[in-house]
Amino acid sequence: MKHGMAQILIVEDDIPLAEQWIVALEAKAHQVLHCTNARDGLASIGVHWPDLVVLDFFYKCINGRAEDHSGLTFVQSANQLAKSLYKPMPKIIAVTASVPDAQFPIDVMESAQLMTNQKLTIRRQKPFATEVLLNDVTAALRA
């Protein structure tokens, strides 16, 4: 991968927010894919195998029903897929607007990190400045 040219998957149901991120990431020469739900996001990983996933961690639906920890389910499924295909797990930036910072369940994030052998970048509250996302993406791709 050339510097600044990563394939990035955004799993985000807030379409205007995702579009803002897409424009900013494409301006930095990244190829960006977008899915509005976790199920499609997992399918996209299987087909495109992105370098990085920006994941709405507390997504409300992954298996057709509401779930409190759908981000963890997404990470578990992606990790199983990576192992079955002998591919490296895509890096993940987890974002959420579902809970205030003080209530963000760190144990869930730690479980996801242990499962994937990688540190997940946590951006607890959205929306946040697009420049913050660009900085997180740059840092995650360098790690």
Side-chain angles (χ1 to χ4, degrees), residues 35-50:
C35 296
T36 58
N37 63 67
R39 186 177 322 132
D40 291 347
L42 286 169
S44 185
I45 285 177
V47 173
H48 301 287
W49 214 266

Side-chain angles (χ1 to χ4, degrees), residues 22-98:
I22 291 166
V23 169
L25 290 165
E26 287 178 343
K28 297 289 185 183
H30 296 296
Q31 180 183 2
V32 183
L33 307 165
H34 174 232
C35 296
T36 58
N37 63 67
R39 186 177 322 132
D40 291 347
L42 286 169
S44 185
I45 285 177
V47 173
H48 301 287
W49 214 266
D51 302 297
L52 177 75
V53 177
V54 179
L55 173 65
D56 185 349
F57 199 80
F58 289 96
Y59 202 81
K60 295 299 180 198
C61 181
I62 192 168
N63 295 318
R65 60 186 171 84
E67 294 187 28
D68 290 334
H69 302 304
S70 61
L72 184 58
T73 303
F74 181 95
V75 172
Q76 288 171 331
S77 298
N79 193 47
Q80 289 171 353
L81 184 60
K83 286 180 179 179
S84 72
L85 297 175
Y86 302 101
K87 292 190 175 208
M89 177 73 179
K91 296 176 182 185
I92 296 175
I93 296 175
V95 299
T96 187
S98 298

